[in-house]
Amino acid sequence: MNWEQFQTEGDRVVRGIREGLQKRNINAGEPIITPFQTDEDIPIYNKIGNKLFWISVKTVSGEIENPIAQMPSNYKGWMCGEVESKQWVNPPALIIWYCIQTSLAWGAIVPKRPSTKWIIFPDRYGVVIDKRKTILTGKTYYLYPSYCVPPNQIISKEEIIAYIKKRI
């Protein structure tokens, strides 16, 4: 797999989740680029077309069958976004992780201030190599500090859908 295939994989997952939400009568829109040059994977609109919130989607490689018990080695939680990212100026309402191999989805509700509730991994300077990106590009990339959602903050696919329906 190369970098373009990796990006296509992510786009396919976002599209699949968006279509699943639309089948449940949720007005899930196309991804957008914000004025901060970050992407909003799935904006959610009300019936008259006003954006209510957005959902961040993360693809997961490997074979995850239990996201509460299974995490990549050395992780303290599921990575959900870089600490320095401009997306935290306008955080998503939800994060959805999707395992490509098992078709399992899980998520978390984003707190108003992630830093007060979620942990930061890895250390401040990103000394852990991002193996997947490094392999795909042939150039060394590091994992920079990211908010990580601890297992006790993980919710099921059903809880995600119920939360969205309450907000629309």
PDB file of all heavy atoms in Angstrom, residues 35-49:
ATOM      1  N   PRO A  35     -11.636  27.049   7.617  1.00  0.00           N
ATOM      2  CA  PRO A  35     -10.738  28.196   7.413  1.00  0.00           C
ATOM      3  C   PRO A  35      -9.354  27.970   8.038  1.00  0.00           C
ATOM      4  O   PRO A  35      -8.394  28.652   7.696  1.00  0.00           O
ATOM      5  CB  PRO A  35     -11.460  29.351   8.114  1.00  0.00           C
ATOM      6  CG  PRO A  35     -12.888  28.929   8.196  1.00  0.00           C
ATOM      7  CD  PRO A  35     -12.890  27.432   8.279  1.00  0.00           C
ATOM      8  N   PHE A  36      -9.254  26.996   8.964  1.00  0.00           N
ATOM      9  CA  PHE A  36      -7.970  26.684   9.596  1.00  0.00           C
ATOM     10  C   PHE A  36      -7.173  25.653   8.799  1.00  0.00           C
ATOM     11  O   PHE A  36      -6.140  25.178   9.242  1.00  0.00           O
ATOM     12  CB  PHE A  36      -8.193  26.151  11.015  1.00  0.00           C
ATOM     13  CG  PHE A  36      -9.020  27.051  11.875  1.00  0.00           C
ATOM     14  CD1 PHE A  36     -10.321  26.713  12.198  1.00  0.00           C
ATOM     15  CD2 PHE A  36      -8.509  28.252  12.356  1.00  0.00           C
ATOM     16  CE1 PHE A  36     -11.093  27.544  12.995  1.00  0.00           C
ATOM     17  CE2 PHE A  36      -9.274  29.083  13.145  1.00  0.00           C
ATOM     18  CZ  PHE A  36     -10.567  28.736  13.461  1.00  0.00           C
ATOM     19  N   GLN A  37      -7.707  25.264   7.623  1.00  0.00           N
ATOM     20  CA  GLN A  37      -7.092  24.253   6.764  1.00  0.00           C
ATOM     21  C   GLN A  37      -7.058  22.863   7.403  1.00  0.00           C
ATOM     22  O   GLN A  37      -6.161  22.066   7.153  1.00  0.00           O
ATOM     23  CB  GLN A  37      -5.681  24.680   6.326  1.00  0.00           C
ATOM     24  CG  GLN A  37      -5.682  25.948   5.494  1.00  0.00           C
ATOM     25  CD  GLN A  37      -6.617  25.866   4.282  1.00  0.00           C
ATOM     26  OE1 GLN A  37      -6.499  24.982   3.462  1.00  0.00           O
ATOM     27  NE2 GLN A  37      -7.577  26.780   4.189  1.00  0.00           N
ATOM     28  N   THR A  38      -8.028  22.582   8.248  1.00  0.00           N
ATOM     29  CA  THR A  38      -8.196  21.230   8.778  1.00  0.00           C
ATOM     30  C   THR A  38      -9.465  20.663   8.162  1.00  0.00           C
ATOM     31  O   THR A  38     -10.302  21.404   7.651  1.00  0.00           O
ATOM     32  CB  THR A  38      -8.307  21.234  10.315  1.00  0.00           C
ATOM     33  OG1 THR A  38      -9.409  22.059  10.692  1.00  0.00           O
ATOM     34  CG2 THR A  38      -7.041  21.746  10.965  1.00  0.00           C
ATOM     35  N   ASP A  39      -9.596  19.352   8.205  1.00  0.00           N
ATOM     36  CA  ASP A  39     -10.787  18.749   7.624  1.00  0.00           C
ATOM     37  C   ASP A  39     -11.788  18.377   8.702  1.00  0.00           C
ATOM     38  O   ASP A  39     -11.423  18.065   9.818  1.00  0.00           O
ATOM     39  CB  ASP A  39     -10.423  17.539   6.770  1.00  0.00           C
ATOM     40  CG  ASP A  39      -9.773  16.419   7.575  1.00  0.00           C
ATOM     41  OD1 ASP A  39      -9.161  16.724   8.616  1.00  0.00           O
ATOM     42  OD2 ASP A  39      -9.878  15.257   7.174  1.00  0.00           O
ATOM     43  N   GLU A  40     -13.047  18.492   8.340  1.00  0.00           N
ATOM     44  CA  GLU A  40     -14.128  17.997   9.181  1.00  0.00           C
ATOM     45  C   GLU A  40     -14.700  16.817   8.414  1.00  0.00           C
ATOM     46  O   GLU A  40     -15.333  16.988   7.368  1.00  0.00           O
ATOM     47  CB  GLU A  40     -15.178  19.088   9.426  1.00  0.00           C
ATOM     48  CG  GLU A  40     -14.637  20.223  10.274  1.00  0.00           C
ATOM     49  CD  GLU A  40     -15.696  21.243  10.680  1.00  0.00           C
ATOM     50  OE1 GLU A  40     -16.875  21.076  10.309  1.00  0.00           O
ATOM     51  OE2 GLU A  40     -15.324  22.199  11.364  1.00  0.00           O
ATOM     52  N   ASP A  41     -14.428  15.604   8.919  1.00  0.00           N
ATOM     53  CA  ASP A  41     -14.773  14.400   8.169  1.00  0.00           C
ATOM     54  C   ASP A  41     -16.257  14.303   7.850  1.00  0.00           C
ATOM     55  O   ASP A  41     -16.642  14.070   6.715  1.00  0.00           O
ATOM     56  CB  ASP A  41     -14.321  13.149   8.924  1.00  0.00           C
ATOM     57  CG  ASP A  41     -12.803  13.054   9.016  1.00  0.00           C
ATOM     58  OD1 ASP A  41     -12.121  13.451   8.048  1.00  0.00           O
ATOM     59  OD2 ASP A  41     -12.303  12.570  10.041  1.00  0.00           O
ATOM     60  N   ILE A  42     -17.090  14.433   8.882  1.00  0.00           N
ATOM     61  CA  ILE A  42     -18.536  14.307   8.664  1.00  0.00           C
ATOM     62  C   ILE A  42     -19.262  15.416   9.427  1.00  0.00           C
ATOM     63  O   ILE A  42     -19.499  15.301  10.628  1.00  0.00           O
ATOM     64  CB  ILE A  42     -19.062  12.925   9.122  1.00  0.00           C
ATOM     65  CG1 ILE A  42     -18.316  11.798   8.408  1.00  0.00           C
ATOM     66  CG2 ILE A  42     -20.572  12.826   8.856  1.00  0.00           C
ATOM     67  CD1 ILE A  42     -18.705  10.402   8.860  1.00  0.00           C
ATOM     68  N   PRO A  43     -19.623  16.497   8.737  1.00  0.00           N
ATOM     69  CA  PRO A  43     -20.459  17.503   9.395  1.00  0.00           C
ATOM     70  C   PRO A  43     -21.903  16.983   9.506  1.00  0.00           C
ATOM     71  O   PRO A  43     -22.385  16.283   8.618  1.00  0.00           O
ATOM     72  CB  PRO A  43     -20.380  18.715   8.463  1.00  0.00           C
ATOM     73  CG  PRO A  43     -19.833  18.212   7.174  1.00  0.00           C
ATOM     74  CD  PRO A  43     -19.215  16.871   7.398  1.00  0.00           C
ATOM     75  N   ILE A  44     -22.532  17.302  10.615  1.00  0.00           N
ATOM     76  CA  ILE A  44     -23.926  16.898  10.845  1.00  0.00           C
ATOM     77  C   ILE A  44     -24.789  18.156  10.834  1.00  0.00           C
ATOM     78  O   ILE A  44     -24.490  19.134  11.528  1.00  0.00           O
ATOM     79  CB  ILE A  44     -24.083  16.160  12.194  1.00  0.00           C
ATOM     80  CG1 ILE A  44     -23.182  14.914  12.252  1.00  0.00           C
ATOM     81  CG2 ILE A  44     -25.550  15.793  12.453  1.00  0.00           C
ATOM     82  CD1 ILE A  44     -23.514  13.824  11.260  1.00  0.00           C
ATOM     83  N   TYR A  45     -25.849  18.107  10.027  1.00  0.00           N
ATOM     84  CA  TYR A  45     -26.739  19.253   9.830  1.00  0.00           C
ATOM     85  C   TYR A  45     -28.126  18.953  10.379  1.00  0.00           C
ATOM     86  O   TYR A  45     -28.542  17.789  10.459  1.00  0.00           O
ATOM     87  CB  TYR A  45     -26.860  19.567   8.337  1.00  0.00           C
ATOM     88  CG  TYR A  45     -25.538  19.903   7.693  1.00  0.00           C
ATOM     89  CD1 TYR A  45     -24.775  18.921   7.066  1.00  0.00           C
ATOM     90  CD2 TYR A  45     -25.048  21.207   7.721  1.00  0.00           C
ATOM     91  CE1 TYR A  45     -23.553  19.226   6.484  1.00  0.00           C
ATOM     92  CE2 TYR A  45     -23.826  21.517   7.137  1.00  0.00           C
ATOM     93  CZ  TYR A  45     -23.091  20.524   6.522  1.00  0.00           C
ATOM     94  OH  TYR A  45     -21.877  20.832   5.951  1.00  0.00           O
ATOM     95  N   ASN A  46     -28.861  20.024  10.705  1.00  0.00           N
ATOM     96  CA  ASN A  46     -30.258  19.832  11.090  1.00  0.00           C
ATOM     97  C   ASN A  46     -31.098  19.711   9.819  1.00  0.00           C
ATOM     98  O   ASN A  46     -30.561  19.755   8.701  1.00  0.00           O
ATOM     99  CB  ASN A  46     -30.749  20.935  12.034  1.00  0.00           C
ATOM    100  CG  ASN A  46     -30.757  22.315  11.394  1.00  0.00           C
ATOM    101  OD1 ASN A  46     -30.638  22.469  10.174  1.00  0.00           O
ATOM    102  ND2 ASN A  46     -30.889  23.339  12.224  1.00  0.00           N
ATOM    103  N   LYS A  47     -32.389  19.602   9.971  1.00  0.00           N
ATOM    104  CA  LYS A  47     -33.272  19.380   8.818  1.00  0.00           C
ATOM    105  C   LYS A  47     -33.271  20.547   7.829  1.00  0.00           C
ATOM    106  O   LYS A  47     -33.523  20.343   6.647  1.00  0.00           O
ATOM    107  CB  LYS A  47     -34.685  19.085   9.300  1.00  0.00           C
ATOM    108  CG  LYS A  47     -34.803  17.734   9.988  1.00  0.00           C
ATOM    109  CD  LYS A  47     -36.229  17.423  10.328  1.00  0.00           C
ATOM    110  CE  LYS A  47     -36.455  16.178  11.131  1.00  0.00           C
ATOM    111  NZ  LYS A  47     -35.480  15.184  11.234  1.00  0.00           N
ATOM    112  N   ILE A  48     -32.977  21.753   8.294  1.00  0.00           N
ATOM    113  CA  ILE A  48     -32.984  22.905   7.371  1.00  0.00           C
ATOM    114  C   ILE A  48     -31.580  23.266   6.864  1.00  0.00           C
ATOM    115  O   ILE A  48     -31.401  24.254   6.176  1.00  0.00           O
ATOM    116  CB  ILE A  48     -33.676  24.141   7.994  1.00  0.00           C
ATOM    117  CG1 ILE A  48     -32.972  24.589   9.281  1.00  0.00           C
ATOM    118  CG2 ILE A  48     -35.149  23.863   8.242  1.00  0.00           C
ATOM    119  CD1 ILE A  48     -33.465  25.925   9.806  1.00  0.00           C
ATOM    120  N   GLY A  49     -30.597  22.421   7.201  1.00  0.00           N
ATOM    121  CA  GLY A  49     -29.268  22.595   6.618  1.00  0.00           C
ATOM    122  C   GLY A  49     -28.259  23.383   7.427  1.00  0.00           C
ATOM    123  O   GLY A  49     -27.173  23.689   6.928  1.00  0.00           O
TER     124      GLY A  49
END
